[in-house]
Amino acid sequence: MKKESKDNYINDLRNAAQLPQPALMKSIHETSKDLEKLSPQDQLQWAFEEFDESFVLTTSFGIQSAVLLHMTKELKSSQKPKVIWVDTGYLPKETYNYAEKLTTLFELNLVVAQSPVSPARMEALNGRLWETGVQKDLEKYHQIRKVAPLEKAFSDLNVLCWASGVRKGQTKNRQSMSNIDCIRERLTLRPLLNWSKKDIFYYMEKNKLPQHPLFEKGYSTVGDWHSSGAENTNTKGRSTRFGGLSEECGIHLNTQ
């Protein structure tokens, strides 16, 4: 979507969702500035009230995922938003176990999104795309296993706005993000955008949230088993992902 069409798109969204509140008649920039003044919990509450069933959360069940998922329990509503989890078929066993634990603990309304192309079929037709060391192969992998399944889930659920737990301190791309923006022609809300690692730690400690099992093994971020690793003296944070080829998997990039 071109930048100059964003405000028109917001108005179209409001009409499509028949929203009772006029907040999104303002520009995305103005709305983002307003949201910056709110706590992450209040940002979620705002989005849920504005978009109702057309608002969802996304999760990877990664290292810090428990924070945003816990906040869904605090929403002032008897019905909770759906939570979309993209299961690539290549996640570590620890992540699958963690997903079960958090889904039960927070009583999540979970929707699992998966590619119609099985891992075995993808490898037979395309090889092990993550092993080639070629950027385009990695992007193809992410499109097949992550971006396309997520977009299909969004379409099936008529999603107008989705929240994620991205933070500015995670990647260079995320340093310039706003609290709300357009990604692939949908609004995306980022309640934790300005939180630090300390904020995440203290929130989890205060609310006694369980850590991902790989956190104790030195992982600060975790995705697929073949493209995640523990931190060491030379490699930290997102540089431990995707063999150093990329910091992003495409989900949070405004590309088709």
Side-chain angles (χ1 to χ4, degrees):
M1 174 180 292
K2 295 180 180 179
K3 290 184 178 179
E4 59 266 26
S5 67
K6 282 184 177 179
D7 287 0
N8 289 336
Y9 181 67
I10 290 297
N11 292 339
D12 291 341
L13 280 180
R14 184 178 183 276
N15 292 334
Q18 298 181 336
L19 300 175
Q21 301 295 328
L24 288 181
M25 293 300 286
K26 297 183 291 186
S27 70
I28 291 181
H29 177 73
E30 291 173 320
T31 302
S32 183
K33 288 296 183 183
D34 289 342
L35 289 171
E36 284 182 16
K37 303 171 186 176
L38 302 179
S39 68
Q41 185 69 58
D42 287 341
Q43 290 182 48
L44 282 178
Q45 189 70 42
W46 169 85
F48 193 36
E49 291 176 0
E50 286 286 348
F51 295 99
D52 194 28
E53 293 184 359
S54 292
F55 172 68
V56 301
L57 282 79
T58 60
T59 187
S60 65
F61 288 110
I63 298 298
Q64 68 169 44
S65 292
V67 172
L68 199 62
L69 295 177
H70 176 263
M71 290 180 181
T72 65
K73 291 198 67 171
E74 307 302 315
L75 289 172
K76 298 173 183 176
S77 172
S78 59
Q79 186 173 346
K80 305 305 181 188
K82 291 181 173 64
V83 176
I84 300 177
W85 173 36
V86 178
D87 177 7
T88 64
Y90 288 96
L91 301 175
K93 64 179 182 179
E94 290 89 349
T95 295
Y96 289 112
N97 291 330
Y98 193 52
E100 291 296 314
K101 186 172 187 175
L102 295 189
T103 298
T104 300
L105 180 63
F106 301 141
E107 300 177 326
L108 300 179
N109 187 0
L110 189 66
V111 176
V112 181
Q114 293 178 300
S115 173
V117 181
S118 70
R121 181 183 175 196
M122 184 195 72
E123 291 183 35
L125 297 176
N126 300 283
R128 295 161 73 90
L129 291 166
W130 65 89
E131 287 186 343
T132 67
V134 178
Q135 181 73 31
K136 287 187 177 180
D137 288 343
L138 185 61
E139 291 172 358
K140 185 175 183 178
Y141 173 85
H142 288 153
Q143 182 65 29
I144 293 171
R145 307 237 61 85
K146 298 184 180 184
V147 180
L150 179 62
E151 286 300 310
K152 185 179 186 305
F154 283 162
S155 295
D156 291 346
L157 297 173
N158 191 31
V159 172
L160 297 176
C161 181
W162 55 286
S164 72
V166 299
R167 296 185 295 105
K168 284 188 175 182
Q170 292 172 320
T171 71
K172 292 179 181 178
N173 175 61
R174 298 175 189 184
Q175 290 173 8
S176 60
M177 285 180 171
S178 303
N179 282 66
I180 194 166
D181 203 350
C182 279
I183 292 287
R184 297 184 300 278
E185 301 192 346
R186 286 184 176 83
L187 288 172
T188 181
L189 178 72
R190 303 162 180 136
L192 303 180
L193 187 64
N194 294 306
W195 273 29
S196 66
K197 288 182 179 180
K198 286 185 178 180
D199 292 325
I200 296 293
F201 173 81
Y202 288 131
Y203 185 94
M204 294 189 70
E205 188 177 61
K206 176 183 176 181
N207 293 284
K208 296 180 173 58
L209 303 183
Q211 289 279 10
H212 192 293
L214 290 177
F215 178 77
E216 297 296 333
K217 296 182 179 180
Y219 286 69
S220 62
T221 175
V222 61
D224 293 328
W225 62 261
H226 53 67
S227 58
S228 303
E231 290 190 348
N232 55 55
T233 55
N234 298 318
T235 310
K236 297 185 181 299
R238 296 290 293 192
S239 60
T240 62
R241 300 283 294 278
F242 317 125
L245 279 180
S246 176
E247 290 186 321
E248 298 282 357
C249 68
I251 284 177
H252 302 289
L253 299 176
N254 204 7
T255 56
Q256 294 291 349

